[in-house]
Amino acid sequence: MALYSEKVMDHFRNPRNVGVIEDADGVGEVGNEKCGDIMKIYLKIEDGIIEDVKFETFGCASAVASSSMATELIKGKPVAEALELTNKAVAEALDGLPAYKMHCSVLAEEAIKNALEDYYKKHPEAK
Amino acid sequence: MFIYADNAATTKMSRAAVEAMTPYLCECYGNPSSLYALGQRAKDAVEAAREKIARLIGAEAREITFTSGGSEADNQAILSAAAVGAKAGKRHIVSDAIEHHAVLHTLKKLEREGFEVTLLPVTPAGIVEPSAVEGAIREDTCLVTVMAANNEIGTIQPIEEIGEICRRRGVPFHTDAVQAVGHIPLDVRTIGCDLLSASAHKFHGPKGVGFLYARRGAKLVSLIEGGAQERNKRAGTENVAGIVAMAAALEEAVGAIPENAARLVPLRDRLIAGLARIPHAALNGDPARRLPSNVNFCFEGIEGESLLLLLDDRGIAASSGSACTSGSLDPSHVLLAIGRPHGVAHGSLRLSLGEDVTEEQVDYMIGAVGEVVAHLRGFSPVWRDLVAEKTQFVL
């Protein structure tokens, strides 16, 4: 059996929503270089809808795939819905992750929550 | 294109080794402990292999004990020296920070049993300094264990100088030569070691077999009980076919050392020079005192597992010292010991060349690594911060 599912490899080889949003409404960063995974998520939000989302990731294939999938799952969705994204949903959408790589999906969930917190900080009126 | 560049992990069996072992699988399959002819033929084959291996490393046949591989040989060597030491009230061992885990974990176990272990640091090039070994030896030192060549960064250690120090100070010396045997010239008398470990699958022999050299008079304790095989030092029916194949593989490997080195060193250096042109990349290990097959780099701003999988897509099988490839949170202890910071150590790549590697393959690897590193840096927040000068480049 391969290390990762085809879905993981697809998102790793062809990550969706890669990049930076210069005038992002919310930016979230989690992880640290020491442990080997860093994810950064950029959100563009209009009228409570995530109009655009981009990510940058330093990490293993499952970290890249988790970020890619997480951005796909929240793109075009209301902020309230994005706040409910769980790491489990990310992992399931990827057809599963090896047990010792589940923390990558946790990082993706946290990065998005972080970015949304940043958004609320910058836009207190949106709360 | 498929390039197997992970020969430090394991090697393809040589034709000579396969041909040597085949008769001992289905025809001469007897148990060497059996008294009838079929068994005795197997025993003769094991003893002939022992003689051949001994001759190839400058030892006597009785000084060779067959094991299941390098890890077992390392365990047995260290635990034996520790047992002898403990009897004499000596419970101190000198080793270094870049040993294989088969050594380090065995030393940890001994620490839990009351031994004291001095793990010497290495130079930034990954060399264990003989003077440091000399300085660390105490009255109660029962063993010095320093590897012949490092499995990750390929540094060749000054084991002859260390061996000379140990002899002069009367301390047993073990060397884990798993990466060195069959790849660089080795002679146990020249090294002056008391114990030496080797593994067949690192020199085109089969997996699951290795040997421990123990100088005559160096006492071994058995790790496995249940029979009188290997002069009571290793119970269990001998891996006859594996042992025969190991001897054939070693004979071929040792014979080809000069010619392989002459071919590999220029190709290795071409690969090193090519990879060094990638911005913010650095060679790990000593540029000259290294195995002819070993290339190991760190690339700033990327992570090793991603690098490996994308290289696999391009037909290159390699390895990395990143945490994600080791299954732990920490990157390679070897890279940390030579002073690479955690973040940089995660972005390491080891290419260990096969003897049949071509210049075309080397150039292909240089191109592929360059592309993959650039691709990964393209969406790395670490790289973005470095380029934006928010953080400082280390390499």
Side-chain angles (χ1 to χ4, degrees):
Chain A
M1 214 190 83
L3 181 59
Y4 293 122
S5 72
E6 271 305 313
K7 266 264 177 65
V8 171
M9 288 309 289
D10 176 37
H11 276 261
F12 167 59
R13 290 180 177 125
N14 312 294
R16 280 61 147 180
N17 309 310
V18 160
V20 177
I21 301 173
E22 294 296 350
D23 58 343
D25 296 303
V27 180
E29 183 170 336
V30 292
N32 63 66
E33 216 178 342
K34 202 175 168 190
C35 78
D37 290 301
I38 300 180
M39 281 180 203
K40 203 162 178 180
I41 302 262
Y42 303 83
L43 300 174
K44 191 78 202 153
I45 297 171
E46 268 171 58
D47 302 329
I49 304 287
I50 298 174
E51 291 294 336
D52 198 10
V53 49
K54 296 276 187 213
F55 83 90
E56 291 181 305
T57 291
F58 165 92
C60 58
S62 63
V64 174
S66 294
S67 337
S68 170
M69 180 55 85
T71 58
E72 283 286 88
L73 290 174
I74 63 164
K75 199 171 180 178
K77 297 278 165 61
V79 168
E81 216 173 293
L83 273 169
E84 285 179 7
L85 179 77
T86 62
N87 80 294
K88 244 184 111 193
V90 174
E92 275 168 19
L94 286 169
D95 291 340
L97 287 171
Y100 69 105
K101 295 285 189 177
M102 280 305 283
H103 73 98
C104 294
S105 63
V106 175
L107 278 180
E109 176 194 324
E110 286 173 355
I112 285 171
K113 298 219 157 118
N114 236 314
L116 288 169
E117 270 170 37
D118 184 53
Y119 164 67
Y120 281 130
K121 221 179 274 166
K122 287 177 182 158
H123 303 268
E125 77 285 354
K127 249 192 175 165
Chain B
M1 172 125 35
F2 174 72
I3 306 171
Y4 182 72
D6 204 13
N7 286 275
T10 194
T11 59
K12 178 167 78 176
M13 272 185 75
S14 70
R15 193 174 292 272
V18 173
E19 280 172 9
M21 89 189 295
T22 311
Y24 295 92
L25 297 170
C26 292
E27 293 153 38
C28 192
Y29 52 82
N31 187 323
S33 298
S34 299
L35 296 182
Y36 42 77
L38 190 70
Q40 290 304 299
R41 288 219 314 270
K43 186 183 167 78
D44 290 346
V46 168
E47 294 316 314
R50 197 186 310 277
E51 298 234 350
K52 188 182 277 183
I53 287 168
R55 180 171 46 78
L56 291 166
I57 64 162
E60 291 171 35
R62 57 187 290 178
E63 296 175 315
I64 304 295
T65 301
F66 294 122
T67 68
S68 65
S71 293
E72 185 188 329
D74 282 340
N75 273 258
Q76 188 169 16
I78 293 167
L79 294 174
S80 297
V84 172
K87 268 193 185 161
K90 296 180 173 185
R91 294 176 161 265
H92 175 242
I93 298 173
V94 176
S95 188
D96 63 90
I98 64 169
E99 290 296 306
H100 189 273
H101 284 132
V103 168
L104 292 177
H105 290 182
T106 305
L107 294 176
K108 272 268 166 258
K109 179 159 110 174
L110 287 170
E111 273 184 326
R112 288 193 295 272
E113 291 170 10
F115 281 79
E116 204 183 320
V117 176
T118 302
L119 283 188
L120 298 170
V122 295
T123 67
I127 303 287
V128 180
E129 288 178 308
S131 59
V133 173
E134 172 112 58
I137 292 174
R138 312 189 313 210
E139 280 297 304
D140 62 341
T141 302
C142 64
L143 175 69
V144 169
T145 173
V146 174
M147 69 204 321
N150 184 266
N151 50 307
E152 292 187 35
I153 59 173
T155 43
I156 297 171
Q157 302 299 344
I159 49 170
E160 292 180 12
E161 285 170 74
I162 294 170
E164 198 272 318
I165 290 166
C166 292
R167 250 176 314 181
R168 183 157 41 76
R169 301 288 296 270
V171 178
F173 175 42
H174 166 247
T175 186
D176 169 354
V178 166
Q179 293 289 334
V181 169
H183 296 278
I184 55 172
L186 281 184
D187 182 294
V188 292
R189 305 284 178 235
T190 315
I191 301 166
C193 58
D194 298 273
L195 300 150
L196 176 145
S197 312
S199 175
H201 75 105
K202 307 291 191 184
F203 51 79
H204 303 285
K207 293 164 186 63
V209 61
F211 66 87
L212 172 59
Y213 156 81
R215 185 184 48 76
R216 206 192 318 178
K219 190 177 148 45
L220 290 184
V221 295
S222 181
L223 304 184
I224 299 173
E225 304 300 335
Q229 293 90 350
E230 300 298 294
R231 298 158 58 91
N232 286 311
K233 300 308 175 202
R234 209 283 183 180
T237 299
E238 298 86 341
N239 178 358
V240 179
I243 289 166
V244 169
M246 170 163 66
L250 187 61
E251 184 169 47
E252 194 173 59
V254 168
I257 285 174
E259 130 198 13
N260 283 337
R263 218 182 93 68
L264 275 181
V265 168
L267 290 169
R268 175 198 73 188
D269 291 344
R270 183 184 180 93
L271 182 54
I272 289 173
L275 295 178
R277 286 196 294 273
I278 295 171
H280 302 288
L283 177 72
N284 295 312
D286 195 282
R289 287 162 70 176
R290 74 187 300 132
L291 292 171
S293 56
N294 179 286
V295 173
N296 190 314
F297 265 78
C298 279
F299 302 102
E300 215 160 353
I302 61 153
E303 190 279 331
E305 190 209 80
S306 289
L307 177 60
L308 291 192
L309 291 172
L310 292 176
L311 288 177
D312 190 24
D313 282 350
R314 285 161 177 74
I316 300 169
S319 79
S320 168
S322 85
C324 277
T325 58
S326 70
S328 76
L329 270 181
D330 282 318
S332 146
H333 67 286
V334 176
L335 297 176
L336 296 178
I338 61 168
R340 298 293 185 214
H342 270 78
V344 172
H346 283 300
S348 79
L349 172 70
R350 180 186 70 187
L351 297 163
S352 41
L353 309 176
E355 290 81 5
D356 56 353
V357 70
T358 64
E359 191 172 287
E360 186 198 359
Q361 290 179 331
V362 164
D363 292 345
Y364 176 80
M365 286 191 275
I366 294 168
V369 173
E371 278 169 32
V372 171
V373 168
H375 166 76
L376 291 171
R377 282 174 172 172
F379 58 87
S380 161
V382 175
W383 182 252
R384 170 173 299 279
D385 286 350
L386 288 166
V387 172
E389 295 180 354
K390 282 187 194 161
T391 50
Q392 298 232 311
F393 283 109
V394 182
L395 305 181

